[in-house]
Amino acid sequence: MPKFAQGRYNVKNPSKYVGNRHPHARSSWEFVFMKMLDEHPGVESWASESIQIPYRDPFTGKHTIYVPDFVIVYRDKNGRKNAEVVEVKPANQTLR
């Protein structure tokens, strides 16, 4: 894989992907995460940039929309179904 993989991700398990178009990886981090979601047997379904969350920016007061990277549904080690919204970022872009 190139150092920075970006672009269209070709889904290998289309029955798991929820979406009308091919997902687009905006970074190599997202590309690797898509591959893991696509291939992991515990992941039941996943979507890329599929929901919009409206909010008011507390600093500017402007209304805007946040689009998280992924929505995933998976079964944990106890067989319980979970759904999560996931934002993919390298550690140096997060608060520690």
Side-chain angles (χ1 to χ4, degrees), residues 51-66:
I51 62 172
Q52 297 180 347
I53 302 170
Y55 71 98
R56 187 178 67 80
D57 186 307
F59 299 107
T60 66
K62 292 183 179 180
H63 291 276
T64 189
I65 295 173
Y66 165 62

Side-chain angles (χ1 to χ4, degrees), residues 36-69:
M36 186 276 301
L37 294 173
D38 195 19
E39 296 176 356
H40 195 286
V43 174
E44 292 189 358
S45 63
W46 64 282
S48 175
E49 298 183 344
S50 63
I51 62 172
Q52 297 180 347
I53 302 170
Y55 71 98
R56 187 178 67 80
D57 186 307
F59 299 107
T60 66
K62 292 183 179 180
H63 291 276
T64 189
I65 295 173
Y66 165 62
V67 179
D69 292 333

Side-chain angles (χ1 to χ4, degrees), residues 10-27:
N10 292 316
V11 178
K12 293 176 182 68
N13 295 294
S15 62
K16 291 172 60 169
Y17 181 68
V18 179
N20 295 329
R21 56 185 171 81
H22 290 278
H24 183 83
R26 299 186 188 283
S27 69

